[in-house]
């Protein structure tokens, strides 16, 4: 019998304008805590906030993972990969961790202590996710639940019902949700391990991971030590200019910015590009973020 800790979206980075603390050290401390309480750890995508990182970040993460050598498993998230392209894995930080043996990076299905896990990538492909006829397996996905983001990135409840997995853990959505029963499946989305964005739910929520028992697939929701939001965020973090924060979501802005290509930076100003791909409301929100952080908008 083994204990497996399952976490969502650590988003490791050393830059966070809205935090007063050392975000990198805090994120690593949380992963260290989960690893210390479990025999294995599975990360449901977005281990990193950007696909390529500094030597400092790589070295610190490598040191932590080698401290718990063999414990860490992960599936790639959209922030971990270049354009969600697995063939470019060698150019990414998560790819380097996998190549050095510090991390088990999984792409299809894998087993831990007799439990079978099936992987679903950011861009969902149901032809590669077989139905669990025995209702005895675990689906690990970096996917939203409907209707968030683009249709290729989210599951419908009907799809979850048909796939028939005993447990379904989904990352990608940082917001915590209550457990949900869909057909024979238990859907679990406990929210990101770190508070990388300043959505209102991050002002009050706790930080949790799930501990899975491989003997009978029983599980517990367990709290991860963390500081109160008012202690780690800047005073301005949850402020908005002229509008309620709920009007625009972190996911919406991510979808807009994801449409940018490198050549756009050379050929167009930010504003001209946004005029082509975003709504007036989204543009105003992005402008307000620039003003809040004293960054030039042009």
């Amino acid at each position: 019998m083994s204990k497996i800790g399952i976490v969502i979206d650590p988003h490791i980075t050393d830059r966070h304008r809205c935090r007063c603390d050392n975000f990198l050290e805090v994120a690593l401390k949380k992963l260290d805590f989960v690893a210390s309480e479990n025999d294995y750890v599975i990360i449901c995508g977005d281990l990193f906030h950007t696909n390529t990182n500094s030597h400092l970040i790589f070295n610190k993460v490598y040191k932590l993972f080698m401290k718990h050598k063999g414990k860490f498993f992960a599936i790639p998230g959209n922030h971990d990969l270049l354009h969600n392209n697995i063939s470019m894995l060698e150019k990414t930080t998560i790819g380097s961790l996998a190549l050095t043996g510090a991390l088990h990076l999984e792409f299809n299905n894998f087993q831990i202590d007799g439990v079978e896990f099936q992987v679903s990538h950011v861009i969902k492909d149901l032809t590669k996710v077989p139905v669990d006829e025995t209702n005895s397996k675990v689906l690990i996905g970096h996917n939203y639940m409907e209707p968030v983001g683009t249709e290729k990135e989210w599951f419908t409840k009907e799809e979850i019902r048909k796939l028939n997995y005993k447990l379904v853990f989904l990352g990608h959505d940082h917001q915590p949700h209550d457990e949900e029963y869909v057909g024979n499946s238990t859907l679990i989305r406990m929210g990101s391990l770190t508070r990388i964005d300043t959505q209102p739910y991050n002002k009050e929520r706790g930080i949790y991971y799930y501990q899975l028992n491989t003997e009978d697939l029983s599980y517990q929701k367990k709290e991860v030590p963390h500081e109160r939001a008012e202690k780690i965020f800047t005073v301005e973090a949850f402020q908005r200019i002229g509008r309620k924060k709920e009007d625009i979501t972190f996911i919406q802005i991510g979808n807009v910015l994801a449409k940018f290509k490198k050549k756009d930076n050379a050929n167009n100003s930010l504003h001209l590009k946004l005029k082509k791909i975003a709504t007036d409301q989204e543009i105003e929100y992005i402008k307000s973020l620039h003003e809040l952080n004293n960054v030039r908008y042009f």
Side-chain angles (χ1 to χ4, degrees), residues 131-160:
V131 172
D132 178 11
E133 301 286 358
T134 61
N135 188 234
S136 62
K137 303 173 185 178
V138 182
L139 178 62
I140 300 290
H142 193 73
N143 308 93
Y144 299 123
M145 276 301 292
E146 58 178 334
V148 181
T150 63
E151 185 174 352
K152 292 181 179 179
E153 293 183 36
W154 45 262
F155 278 104
T156 67
K157 289 186 179 180
E158 185 57 29
E159 288 168 343
I160 294 293

Side-chain angles (χ1 to χ4, degrees), residues 95-284:
S96 296
L97 284 173
L99 289 170
T100 58
L103 171 71
H104 300 282
L105 192 58
E106 305 295 343
F107 302 97
N108 297 300
N109 63 305
F110 61 102
Q111 288 192 10
I112 300 177
D113 196 15
V115 175
E116 188 169 343
F117 295 88
Q118 178 64 46
V119 175
S120 174
H121 297 293
V122 184
I123 305 303
K124 178 189 65 180
D125 185 352
L126 290 178
T127 65
K128 296 182 179 179
V129 182
V131 172
D132 178 11
E133 301 286 358
T134 61
N135 188 234
S136 62
K137 303 173 185 178
V138 182
L139 178 62
I140 300 290
H142 193 73
N143 308 93
Y144 299 123
M145 276 301 292
E146 58 178 334
V148 181
T150 63
E151 185 174 352
K152 292 181 179 179
E153 293 183 36
W154 45 262
F155 278 104
T156 67
K157 289 186 179 180
E158 185 57 29
E159 288 168 343
I160 294 293
R161 185 176 289 106
K162 288 181 178 179
L163 289 172
N164 198 47
Y165 283 79
K166 185 175 182 65
L167 297 174
V168 179
F169 290 90
L170 297 183
H172 208 11
D173 184 355
H174 300 173
Q175 184 172 352
H177 302 271
D178 292 334
E179 291 176 23
E180 192 171 350
Y181 300 100
V182 183
N184 296 322
S185 302
T186 302
L187 174 62
I188 300 174
R189 297 176 292 161
M190 61 279 199
S192 57
L193 184 68
T194 58
R195 287 164 284 183
I196 190 66
D197 54 89
T198 55
Q199 290 303 305
Y201 56 77
N202 273 330
K203 294 178 74 173
E204 304 294 339
R205 77 174 176 105
I207 305 293
Y208 298 94
Y209 80 93
Y210 270 68
Q211 186 179 76
L212 188 66
N213 186 319
T214 60
E215 184 175 36
D216 57 3
L217 286 187
S218 60
Y219 57 85
Q220 296 182 63
K221 181 180 180 182
K222 306 197 74 173
E223 188 168 15
V224 179
H226 60 280
E227 298 286 357
R228 300 187 310 275
E230 58 265 29
K231 187 171 182 179
I232 64 169
F233 284 102
T234 63
V235 174
E236 301 83 8
F238 293 98
Q239 292 180 358
R240 286 291 309 284
I241 299 174
R243 222 173 26 261
K244 291 182 179 180
K245 191 170 183 62
E246 290 82 354
D247 291 345
I248 296 290
T249 69
F250 176 79
I251 293 168
Q252 280 177 272
I253 298 307
N255 289 340
V256 170
L257 297 181
K259 298 175 185 177
F260 277 84
K261 299 178 181 178
K262 288 185 178 180
K263 64 180 182 180
D264 293 325
N265 296 332
N267 298 333
N268 296 306
S269 72
L270 173 63
H271 182 70
L272 289 178
K273 180 62 178 177
L274 287 174
K275 289 289 286 184
K276 295 179 181 179
I277 64 174
T279 66
D280 290 341
Q281 190 182 37
E282 289 166 341
I283 292 173
E284 286 303 311

Side-chain angles (χ1 to χ4, degrees), residues 16 67-68 72 77 102 121 185 199 235 249 263 285 288 292:
H16 197 303
K67 172 184 174 182
H68 301 283
F72 281 96
H121 297 293
S185 302
Q199 290 303 305
V235 174
T249 69
K263 64 180 182 180
Y285 177 52
S288 74
L292 180 62

